Amino acid sequence: MFLRVIKKGDQEYFALCRTIVADKNRINYEHVLGLGNKKDYENKSSNQIRQQLIKRHQMKISELQPNQGHIDLDAEIKELSPTRTIGDGQIVRTAIIEDDTGKARLDLWNKYAETFSVGNHIHLSNGMAKTKYEGILNITHGKYGTIKKVENQP
């Protein structure tokens, strides 16, 4: 996700944007996730502005598309597969996660494979959506993403 300044009339706004996958002509499309009046964010860093706009627009599973990056969302773990070790010694397990709009598969690699339990509420930051399998989107935290347990959820 990135910030862009958009001008409408004499007003300037910060737009929190997400790049949608390029089409067959290699053109990138942007999706605006949130807008904030520029004067409301004076003396704030771009990271502070980004975080406030993210809070105003939390991603939902139903909005995600295959091959999409920079995913930030909250969900509940509904199911967990057994932990398995693959050829190069990495540990992985798959979670079925759900929010109020849908469900997805979340691959939990290495340190995350043993961290969570069914019923945990999690926050995924900087995740990536992969392809759909049996109609359900696959998501991973990737190399640069993080997953944290969220306390005090209903």
Side-chain angles (χ1 to χ4, degrees):
M1 282 185 266
F2 57 94
L3 285 174
R4 172 167 290 173
V5 175
I6 296 175
K7 192 167 187 161
K8 290 185 178 183
D10 61 346
Q11 294 287 328
E12 287 187 318
Y13 298 89
F14 281 113
L16 180 65
C17 302
R18 171 176 75 209
T19 300
I20 306 295
V21 178
D23 68 8
K24 65 181 179 180
N25 296 318
R26 307 299 294 158
I27 297 171
N28 289 327
Y29 293 93
E30 294 172 8
H31 177 67
V32 176
L33 300 174
L35 283 174
N37 194 316
K38 190 174 177 185
K39 66 182 177 185
D40 294 338
Y41 294 97
E42 291 178 17
N43 302 319
K44 294 196 179 190
S45 71
S46 61
N47 192 44
Q48 289 171 320
I49 295 166
R50 181 179 181 269
Q51 291 303 317
Q52 287 183 355
L53 290 175
I54 286 171
K55 285 179 185 176
R56 288 175 55 188
H57 178 85
Q58 187 68 353
M59 287 181 177
K60 298 293 184 179
I61 290 173
S62 65
E63 299 172 335
L64 304 179
Q65 299 293 320
N67 302 316
Q68 179 180 338
H70 306 290
I71 295 170
D72 291 291
L73 64 82
D74 290 328
E76 180 181 356
I77 296 176
K78 293 294 192 175
E79 299 175 35
L80 279 171
S81 71
T83 302
R84 59 194 186 280
T85 304
I86 59 172
D88 60 357
Q90 293 191 70
I91 300 168
V92 64
R93 77 190 311 186
T94 301
I96 301 295
I97 61 171
E98 191 174 279
D99 66 13
D100 58 345
T101 68
K103 64 181 178 177
R105 283 185 182 86
L106 174 63
D107 296 329
L108 300 168
W109 289 91
N110 300 315
K111 69 180 182 181
Y112 296 115
E114 295 293 336
T115 303
F116 304 105
S117 304
V118 171
N120 286 156
H121 291 265
I122 60 165
H123 178 77
L124 170 68
S125 294
N126 203 23
M128 300 179 304
K130 300 186 296 183
T131 58
K132 286 189 174 185
Y133 176 73
E134 297 178 349
I136 299 176
L137 193 66
N138 288 310
I139 301 172
T140 184
H141 51 81
K143 185 175 181 179
Y144 301 106
T146 59
I147 306 171
K148 295 181 181 174
K149 199 180 296 185
V150 178
E151 303 296 331
N152 301 326
Q153 291 292 317

